[in-house]
Amino acid sequence: MATLKDVAKLAGVSPKTVSRVINDSPLVNEETRRRVLEAIRLLDYHPNEVAKNLRRRRSQTIGFLVPYGSDFVFRDTGMMEQLKGVHDVVVREGYNLMLSVPLVKEDSLWEAERLVKRRCVDGVILYPSSGIDVIAKEFLHRNLHFVTLGIGFQDQKSNFVEVDFSQATCEAVFYLFSRGCKRVGLLTRPHWFFNFPENDSFLSGFKKALDEAGMDFTPQLVRESDFTVEGGYRDFLKLREQVPDMDGVVCAADPTAYGVIRALWELGKQPGRDFKIVSGDNFPLTRKLFPWLPSMHNPLLRQGEEAARMLLKLVERGGQLPGVVLEATFEPPKLH
Amino acid sequence: MATLKDVAKLAGVSPKTVSRVINDSPLVNEETRRRVLEAIRLLDYHPNEVAKNLRRRRSQTIGFLVPYGSDFVFRDTGMMEQLKGVHDVVVREGYNLMLSVPLVKEDSLWEAERLVKRRCVDGVILYPSSGIDVIAKEFLHRNLHFVTLGIGFQDQKSNFVEVDFSQATCEAVFYLFSRGCKRVGLLTRPHWFFNFPENDSFLSGFKKALDEAGMDFTPQLVRESDFTVEGGYRDFLKLREQVPDMDGVVCAADPTAYGVIRALWELGKQPGRDFKIVSGDNFPLTRKLFPWLPSMHNPLLRQGEEAARMLLKLVERGGQLPGVVLEATFEPPKLH
DNA sequence: TTGTACGCGTTATCAT
DNA sequence: ATGATAACGCGTACAA
């Protein structure tokens, strides 16, 4: 493998000049540059990024840490959207993306520390799954770079990109009323999935809608459901026992809605006609598979992009950045 | 940030001794080791992987290069399975995983070269999408490390993990016959997706089944379909025009089958009852969403694992390894 | 515009 | 069992 020195020797210049050419420095004679480029071509020289990174005290790499538990199979579609958002920004800015999925839950904390403290990455994007609060607080304190996809711990003010569903959920409920529903339920997110359960924007939006519609809220109208198809199936059936006259439901996630759909099939009801549903993510797949299914739109791609942009700023400028809250939206489908 | 030297100074030993302790060398006195470990703890020292990698001329990282076009949205579920297989093996062996999705198709070749030649990674896992044949051949020639997920170019003998569907497809067709089908069609993989279209194991299995059943094969019975829901929808409707009396179909992929299911709904037919389907991947999601849907099983996870194991061997021992062919399986669902 | 000398933080070699 | 010294391949600081 040819090195920068070899190139310098062949081109008859100093190593530094070769370095300048590689890094597109303007401070180099055209003729010299030409000679150097020719030498690079002849030797098939490729700069060694590891050496460069050591010298620059950078890894030029961003980490994406997926919590164990992403076997949540189908949540992966949402994760992939976020990941793609992160990836695109990171790559465009000349960084690499390292993906890490700890094999067991206990490894998450150690893995986040390993990635950042051993300088495998310049910064890391974290899911706000349980346990991450510890990491986030320590990283903040030691000025290590991270961004959480959602709020990671209570009173976190910086370095997160959160999605707020309250307005979208409120509109979704009104949409169901407008479609003739008399009694609407909510399958919300699982509180145990997060570090501070209090702040459920699905629930607050749901309550707001009932309030504005002059209807009473009762806890019976709500169940939590983990973001899985089976969970949606199971929890919908339970919710139906709680609210026998329910004729519409808002789901916090697409997989949950899939579970509801399956349950309705098995009950001999046609989803969307005999019973109304609003879904929660609006995955591309959902549009393809169930074009008739109304859905809130979870801005997963943008969340990933924002998180990546924020992290790169942190890496390049240091300090902290105020958290960002994106709004989920609800676009009622065209009626016909 | 404390370095190895700082630790050495504090512990009153040479840097090399600290290095020995870190790397669990047996050649170090117990008492010395204790002192060093104490110094490490006091300084909160973390070894710098970049420096280590420079010295060891390794990046200790494996690349996973996703072809542009992975917007194939739902194929991602399959890709995630493979990725998870790769990840688990790679991490268990103490490597990192770098994920790269070139933003545009033209970047793929350059990106693969960049990753390997600039030593960002020690080796790379490639999809056999078009264009990869060029890379694979050059890498082979220059002894750079790679494994393709499937055969990347004609006559490739080494460094791939392929999945063979011929037997599974054959059994799937017989299953449909056993369920009363008289006329079975095939929605096979898109030939343009690969570099050498000749070797379609779905098609060969399909032909074999018809042959063994004493039925004539005609090209009308087959259509290619890209691995998308829309594609499955569209191509199924076309295939139905070609074969009006078709009463069963084998799909090369799960998203294709989803498209078929949607088409049947819209035709007012109940999938699985009025028209029989066998799917091609058996994603976890498929089991959850359509438990009644029979499917061949695409060993995606194992394919990823095998590819990773192969690549790590190549990285650590050099040379080349003969390609591996995994068998897809068909397990008829329990009838009731 | 170009070159020199040094350092980034670790491991390898060869001593002792 | 431990240490001195030299790499690894590049960028930085400063001088020319």
Side-chain angles (χ1 to χ4, degrees):
Chain A
M1 272 284 184
T3 74
L4 188 139
K5 273 185 189 164
D6 302 329
V7 176
K9 205 171 294 174
L10 181 59
V13 297
S14 81
K16 178 61 216 182
T17 301
V18 178
S19 173
R20 287 202 181 89
V21 171
I22 292 172
N23 295 298
D24 289 319
S25 161
L27 302 147
V28 50
N29 188 308
E30 256 326 304
E31 164 58 14
T32 315
R33 178 191 307 278
R34 219 193 38 67
R35 279 220 319 285
V36 169
L37 288 176
E38 177 63 12
I40 287 178
R41 208 183 53 71
L42 281 175
L43 294 174
D44 191 33
Y45 166 73
H46 299 267
N48 183 319
E49 296 284 337
V50 178
K52 178 176 180 171
N53 291 339
L54 173 58
R55 182 63 249 221
R56 301 189 50 214
R57 324 180 98 204
R58 281 281 198 78
S59 64
Q60 203 67 15
T61 300
I62 290 304
F64 190 94
L65 188 59
V66 179
Y68 171 77
S70 69
D71 286 336
F72 279 74
V73 182
F74 199 38
R75 275 207 72 210
D76 286 358
T77 295
M79 209 187 70
M80 280 305 277
E81 285 282 308
Q82 294 170 316
L83 182 57
K84 180 159 170 45
V86 170
H87 173 96
D88 291 358
V89 169
V90 157
V91 166
R92 231 189 309 265
E93 298 298 324
Y95 285 74
N96 296 309
L97 181 64
M98 191 168 279
L99 179 66
S100 183
V101 192
L103 300 182
V104 295
K105 182 170 178 175
E106 292 68 35
D107 289 352
S108 295
L109 214 136
W110 155 258
E111 176 66 0
E113 292 200 306
R114 190 200 125 236
L115 287 176
V116 177
K117 292 187 178 167
R118 307 189 110 153
R119 327 242 65 157
C120 293
V121 303
D122 297 332
V124 68
I125 293 189
L126 302 170
Y127 274 83
S129 59
S130 72
I132 287 298
D133 51 335
V134 183
I135 296 174
K137 282 176 190 166
E138 200 216 336
F139 277 25
L140 265 184
H141 179 245
R142 305 188 35 170
N143 216 4
L144 300 174
H145 307 308
F146 75 96
V147 170
T148 50
L149 289 172
I151 297 183
F153 57 90
Q154 190 120 33
D155 297 327
Q156 183 179 357
K157 295 280 179 271
S158 61
N159 302 9
F160 67 80
V161 182
E162 172 74 297
V163 177
D164 178 23
F165 276 86
S166 56
Q167 186 56 30
T169 305
C170 183
E171 292 177 24
V173 173
F174 271 103
Y175 167 78
L176 289 177
F177 287 150
S178 80
R179 301 294 293 145
C181 291
K182 299 290 173 213
R183 193 99 163 130
V184 172
L186 173 68
L187 288 171
T188 191
R189 64 171 208 188
H191 83 269
W192 52 264
F193 192 76
F194 301 86
N195 290 306
F196 61 112
E198 299 73 19
N199 209 353
D200 181 341
S201 65
F202 297 101
L203 186 58
S204 60
F206 184 74
K207 285 179 176 171
K208 181 167 167 246
L210 292 193
D211 188 53
E212 289 182 8
M215 302 175 68
D216 283 337
F217 169 81
T218 62
Q220 277 78 18
L221 292 171
V222 179
R223 273 198 88 89
E224 294 178 11
S225 190
D226 61 12
F227 300 123
T228 68
V229 180
E230 323 82 280
Y233 176 88
R234 199 177 47 234
D235 294 313
F236 174 68
L237 292 179
K238 287 192 188 143
L239 186 60
R240 220 162 145 268
E241 287 175 18
Q242 295 175 195
V243 191
D245 59 337
M246 176 171 62
D247 51 6
V249 69
V250 176
C251 301
D254 278 12
T256 306
Y258 298 169
V260 172
I261 289 172
R262 210 192 110 194
L264 288 168
W265 285 335
E266 295 186 7
L267 290 169
K269 294 190 185 293
Q270 186 177 325
R273 195 194 60 186
D274 307 332
F275 191 100
K276 309 272 186 252
I277 309 170
V278 173
S279 191
D281 287 314
N282 204 29
F283 293 155
L285 172 72
T286 303
R287 290 273 59 76
K288 309 293 182 196
L289 192 54
F290 305 117
W292 52 266
L293 180 64
S295 180
M296 303 185 276
H297 182 78
N298 187 351
L300 294 160
L301 197 72
R302 259 196 67 211
Q303 192 185 12
E305 291 171 345
E306 289 291 338
R309 269 193 277 273
M310 189 179 277
L311 184 55
L312 292 182
K313 266 189 208 151
L314 291 174
V315 165
E316 287 168 7
R317 303 208 241 296
Q320 266 131 57
L321 288 169
V324 166
V325 178
L326 304 178
E327 285 287 328
T329 53
F330 177 74
E331 185 93 24
K334 320 280 173 286
L335 306 179
H336 31 225
Chain B
M1 270 287 185
T3 74
L4 187 139
K5 273 183 190 165
D6 302 328
V7 176
K9 205 170 296 175
L10 181 59
V13 298
S14 82
K16 180 62 213 181
T17 301
V18 178
S19 173
R20 286 200 182 91
V21 172
I22 292 171
N23 295 296
D24 290 320
S25 162
L27 302 146
V28 50
N29 188 308
E30 255 326 303
E31 163 60 14
T32 315
R33 177 190 309 279
R34 219 193 37 69
R35 278 218 322 283
V36 169
L37 288 175
E38 177 62 11
I40 288 179
R41 208 183 54 71
L42 280 175
L43 295 173
D44 191 34
Y45 164 73
H46 298 268
N48 183 319
E49 296 285 337
V50 178
K52 178 176 180 170
N53 292 338
L54 172 59
R55 182 63 245 214
R56 301 189 50 212
R57 323 181 99 205
R58 280 282 197 78
S59 65
Q60 203 67 14
T61 300
I62 290 305
F64 190 93
L65 188 58
V66 178
Y68 171 78
S70 70
D71 285 336
F72 278 73
V73 181
F74 200 39
R75 276 207 72 211
D76 286 358
T77 295
M79 209 189 70
M80 280 305 276
E81 286 283 308
Q82 293 170 317
L83 182 57
K84 178 158 170 49
V86 170
H87 173 95
D88 291 358
V89 169
V90 157
V91 165
R92 231 188 309 265
E93 298 298 324
Y95 286 74
N96 296 310
L97 181 65
M98 190 168 280
L99 178 66
S100 183
V101 192
L103 300 181
V104 294
K105 182 170 178 174
E106 291 68 36
D107 288 353
S108 295
L109 214 135
W110 154 258
E111 176 66 1
E113 291 201 307
R114 190 200 126 236
L115 287 176
V116 178
K117 293 186 179 167
R118 307 191 121 168
R119 328 242 64 156
C120 294
V121 303
D122 297 331
V124 67
I125 293 189
L126 303 169
Y127 274 83
S129 58
S130 72
I132 286 299
D133 50 336
V134 182
I135 297 175
K137 282 175 189 166
E138 199 217 334
F139 277 25
L140 265 184
H141 179 245
R142 305 188 33 169
N143 216 4
L144 299 174
H145 308 306
F146 77 97
V147 170
T148 50
L149 289 173
I151 297 184
F153 58 90
Q154 189 120 33
D155 297 326
Q156 182 179 357
K157 296 278 179 273
S158 60
N159 301 10
F160 67 81
V161 182
E162 173 74 297
V163 177
D164 179 23
F165 277 86
S166 55
Q167 186 57 29
T169 306
C170 182
E171 291 177 25
V173 173
F174 271 102
Y175 166 78
L176 289 178
F177 287 150
S178 80
R179 302 294 294 146
C181 292
K182 299 291 173 215
R183 193 100 163 128
V184 172
L186 173 68
L187 287 171
T188 190
R189 64 169 208 189
H191 82 269
W192 52 264
F193 193 76
F194 301 86
N195 290 305
F196 62 112
E198 300 73 17
N199 209 353
D200 181 342
S201 65
F202 296 101
L203 186 58
S204 61
F206 185 73
K207 285 179 176 171
K208 180 165 168 248
L210 292 193
D211 188 53
E212 289 182 8
M215 302 175 68
D216 283 337
F217 169 81
T218 61
Q220 277 78 18
L221 292 171
V222 180
R223 274 197 86 89
E224 293 179 10
S225 191
D226 62 12
F227 299 124
T228 68
V229 180
E230 321 84 280
Y233 176 88
R234 199 177 47 234
D235 294 313
F236 173 68
L237 292 178
K238 288 192 188 143
L239 185 61
R240 218 161 148 270
E241 288 175 17
Q242 295 174 197
V243 191
D245 59 337
M246 176 170 63
D247 52 5
V249 69
V250 176
C251 302
D254 278 11
T256 306
Y258 298 169
V260 173
I261 289 171
R262 210 192 108 194
L264 289 168
W265 284 336
E266 294 187 6
L267 291 168
K269 293 188 185 292
Q270 185 177 324
R273 194 194 60 188
D274 308 331
F275 191 100
K276 308 272 187 251
I277 310 171
V278 173
S279 190
D281 287 313
N282 205 27
F283 293 154
L285 172 71
T286 304
R287 290 274 58 77
K288 309 294 180 194
L289 193 54
F290 305 117
W292 51 266
L293 180 64
S295 180
M296 304 186 275
H297 182 78
N298 186 352
L300 293 160
L301 196 74
R302 258 195 68 212
Q303 192 185 12
E305 291 171 345
E306 289 291 337
R309 269 193 277 273
M310 189 178 278
L311 184 55
L312 291 182
K313 267 189 208 151
L314 291 173
V315 165
E316 287 168 6
R317 302 209 242 296
Q320 266 131 57
L321 287 169
V324 166
V325 178
L326 304 179
E327 285 287 328
T329 52
F330 178 73
E331 185 93 25
K334 320 282 174 284
L335 305 179
H336 32 224

